[in-house]
Amino acid sequence: MKKLFFILLIICSGFVTSAQMQFGIKAGLNLSNLTTSGLTFASGASFSPRTDFNGGVMASLHLFSNFYLQPELNYSGQGQSFSNPMAKGTINYNYLNLPLLLKYQHTSGIFAETGPQIGFLLSAKGKIDGYGQYDLNESQPIDFSWAFGIGYKLHSIPLGIDLRYNLGLTTVYKNSPGGTAKNSVFQFDLFYLFGGK
């Protein structure tokens, strides 16, 4: 996965000099969770999505016909809420994400996008209500995921909406024998492309 991402990044850089390119900004809401399997400490607990912010910058490189390459650099607040008979709280992950998406945009303005994403962990903390925060020291520093999205770009102004799902491919814990916990994030964003039509 890591090799694939960097190969695509090199290909992307080759198009920069020849492709029509726009830059933009984006921001929106995250609805995140961790999908767990086989983790003994998760038994007996109930989990629910956590809401947070995402935002960053993007570029749109016109390749051919209706196809575009879209690299981004985004901050993303992720994690989940949890409760058990003893306590309630949240798991808070903050990432710097670099998605590299292939996008097909129809002349109507509707588009679909997909591609790999690498995330660099900025901070990892847990919070138990009434007890405060604690560090999650066993968290992986790098997270890989695959993004799927749809959206719509207005014709009159360079503004659009992007609905995306990031499917985690690697477990977020360093030591989780026999089990996994992977990021699962829905994103709802507005974006603006400078110099767009």
Side-chain angles (χ1 to χ4, degrees):
M1 181 68 185
K2 191 173 183 179
K3 291 181 179 179
L4 173 62
F5 181 84
F6 286 111
I7 289 171
L8 291 174
L9 192 60
I10 291 169
I11 294 171
C12 171
S13 65
F15 283 105
V16 171
T17 56
S18 59
Q20 180 184 352
M21 181 168 58
Q22 292 178 280
F23 294 97
I25 56 175
K26 60 179 298 185
L29 179 72
N30 278 357
L31 190 62
S32 65
N33 215 330
L34 295 175
T35 56
T36 60
S37 175
L39 295 177
T40 55
F41 67 81
S43 60
S46 61
F47 300 96
S48 59
R50 174 178 176 260
T51 57
D52 207 323
F53 167 82
N54 78 80
V57 294
M58 57 191 288
S60 179
L61 309 174
H62 184 224
L63 301 179
F64 57 89
S65 184
N66 294 330
F67 288 91
Y68 296 79
L69 199 61
Q70 184 169 296
E72 300 178 1
L73 179 64
N74 302 318
Y75 163 82
S76 182
Q78 301 174 195
Q80 68 180 181
S81 299
F82 67 88
S83 63
N84 58 41
M86 301 295 293
K88 294 193 301 182
T90 56
I91 296 172
N92 306 313
Y93 287 108
N94 295 312
Y95 287 97
L96 184 65
N97 287 334
L98 286 82
L100 183 59
L101 308 176
L102 179 65
K103 180 168 74 174
Y104 174 82
Q105 182 165 304
H106 191 264
T107 52
S108 65
I110 296 173
F111 64 81
E113 60 194 5
T114 189
Q117 174 177 277
I118 182 171
F120 298 95
L121 185 65
L122 301 176
S123 66
K125 293 184 179 295
K127 181 181 179 182
I128 298 178
D129 294 352
Y131 293 92
Q133 290 190 340
Y134 57 94
D135 291 330
L136 297 171
N137 296 318
E138 293 300 312
S139 301
Q140 295 278 12
I142 294 178
D143 179 70
F144 293 100
S145 57
W146 197 273
F148 305 88
I150 57 172
Y152 178 75
K153 181 178 175 294
L154 297 173
H155 288 287
S156 55
I157 56 175
L159 184 70
I161 185 171
D162 189 359
L163 309 178
R164 191 177 300 176
Y165 176 66
N166 296 327
L167 173 67
L169 301 177
T170 55
T171 187
V172 298
Y173 300 124
K174 291 179 182 177
N175 300 309
S176 55
T180 61
K182 299 178 181 180
N183 281 303
S184 175
V185 186
F186 288 94
Q187 296 182 315
F188 308 88
D189 290 314
L190 291 175
F191 65 86
Y192 184 91
L193 290 172
F194 295 98
K197 296 179 179 180

